Amino acid sequence: GTDATTQGLKQPSKESLSNGPFVQSEILLPGASGAPLERTITLANATTVELSCKLDTNSPLKNPQVTWKKGNETISHTSKTENSWSIQLEIVDSSKLGSYSCILKGEEEISATFHLQVPDVEGRGRHVITYERDTAVMLCKSDSAPMAWTWYMISGSKQIAINASSKGDKYLIVRQSAGVTQLRILKLTKEDAGVYFCQATFELGKVKLEVELKVLSIMAPLKPFLAVVAEVLILLTTIVLYEVYSKRKEKRTGEKAFDQIEQL
């Protein structure tokens, strides 16, 4: 129905088709102008991709002029059937990735876009906060299995690779599965704070994810408590001093009154 079609325009769909030797993907165009349809296709390895735009048979748009583009560059479609237009791509390296759009022009204009990209890398969090002498744990994962995982630390303007020979008593890299890697930094010090990132290497390109590490002093959790204790001590000291002052004042007042009575 109309509601379902409209809702489908709001969010781009996503296909993970990284391991197939031949990938086919088709977008059905409803034939009414509006938000462009989008679809993301993730590719880890070299493959052949066929992208198709098919016009709904009930569309009022008849005999449209069809243009395919990669970014802003116009390309020609390789095949046409009734109400359907396709292009076939040989994706052999990262230069072939990108956004491919079909544009149908008639009384109205409608379009659809396919985004070809390498798989994303996700992490447990973009910021890790822990304490001195503790262990920091960073995790990266991908739905597809990379050819290799590499961890780096950023020192100034340099990227330094972390591997098995990098301070064996400091860093521990654990590959939990083909798509998951973990970096552990042991016996943390203030000098370990900074930016780290994992890099997944696929046949069609590399993807990285940055993680910022903050290392706090072991006294940091005690600071709020110590502040409260200090406030309480100041308050108690003030009360005690006031009591002592009040008693001395009362004593002096009593002695003065006694002296006046004796004089009388």
Side-chain angles (χ1 to χ4, degrees):
T2 304
D3 292 341
T5 302
T6 304
Q7 188 172 359
L9 294 174
K10 294 178 181 178
Q11 295 293 335
S13 58
K14 185 172 182 178
E15 296 180 0
S16 181
L17 304 166
S18 58
N19 296 320
F22 183 75
V23 173
Q24 289 179 299
S25 185
E26 180 182 89
I27 292 181
L28 179 64
L29 297 168
S33 61
L37 288 161
E38 298 184 47
R39 178 172 298 166
T40 298
I41 302 172
T42 61
L43 303 168
N45 305 314
T47 186
T48 301
V49 177
E50 184 177 88
L51 307 177
S52 302
C53 288
K54 185 174 182 180
L55 188 62
D56 192 299
T57 54
N58 297 320
S59 170
L61 191 63
K62 304 299 180 183
N63 300 318
Q65 179 184 352
V66 180
T67 304
W68 277 91
K69 288 187 175 183
K70 181 192 177 187
N72 295 320
E73 178 188 355
T74 300
I75 57 178
S76 59
H77 50 268
T78 55
S79 64
K80 175 186 180 302
T81 59
E82 185 177 1
N83 289 336
S84 180
W85 300 264
S86 303
I87 57 173
Q88 195 169 98
L89 308 166
E90 297 293 333
I91 309 298
V92 294
D93 55 44
S94 59
S95 67
K96 299 295 184 180
L97 299 175
S99 297
Y100 292 82
S101 303
C102 62
I103 303 164
L104 280 63
K105 290 184 179 180
E107 295 180 358
E108 296 183 345
E109 179 178 312
I110 54 177
S111 64
T113 301
F114 300 84
H115 302 286
L116 307 187
Q117 63 182 44
V118 293
D120 289 330
V121 173
E122 300 175 351
R124 184 176 294 166
R126 302 299 294 271
H127 302 278
V128 175
I129 302 176
T130 187
Y131 300 97
E132 290 179 304
R133 303 179 189 175
D134 203 349
T135 298
V137 180
M138 304 177 193
L139 184 140
C140 289
K141 62 181 180 179
S142 175
D143 292 336
S144 300
M147 298 167 58
W149 284 105
T150 310
W151 283 93
Y152 293 87
M153 63 180 297
I154 298 178
S155 177
S157 59
K158 296 181 179 180
Q159 299 178 2
I160 303 174
I162 300 173
N163 49 47
S165 61
S166 301
K167 298 182 181 179
D169 60 339
K170 189 67 176 179
Y171 303 107
L172 179 62
I173 298 176
V174 179
R175 188 158 184 174
Q176 296 181 337
S177 65
V180 180
T181 181
Q182 185 185 87
L183 171 65
R184 297 182 184 180
I185 307 175
L186 313 175
K187 302 175 184 176
L188 287 169
T189 65
K190 286 281 190 179
E191 287 70 29
D192 294 319
V195 177
Y196 296 77
F197 68 88
C198 62
Q199 179 174 276
T201 302
F202 298 97
E203 185 178 349
L204 292 176
K206 299 177 180 180
V207 186
K208 69 178 183 179
L209 178 71
E210 290 190 356
V211 181
E212 183 181 3
L213 173 63
K214 291 186 178 180
V215 181
L216 304 179
S217 168
I218 56 176
M219 294 297 292
L222 297 177
K223 286 182 179 179
F225 173 74
L226 294 175
V228 172
V229 171
E231 290 180 2
V232 171
L233 290 175
I234 292 172
L235 180 60
L236 290 176
T237 302
T238 303
I239 292 173
V240 170
L241 291 175
Y242 178 77
E243 290 292 334
V244 172
Y245 172 77
S246 298
K247 288 181 179 180
R248 288 182 177 179
K249 186 177 180 181
E250 289 176 1
K251 184 177 180 181
R252 287 198 300 268
T253 302
E255 290 177 349
K256 185 176 181 181
F258 181 75
D259 290 342
Q260 290 177 349
I261 291 171
E262 280 191 337
Q263 290 176 2
L264 292 173

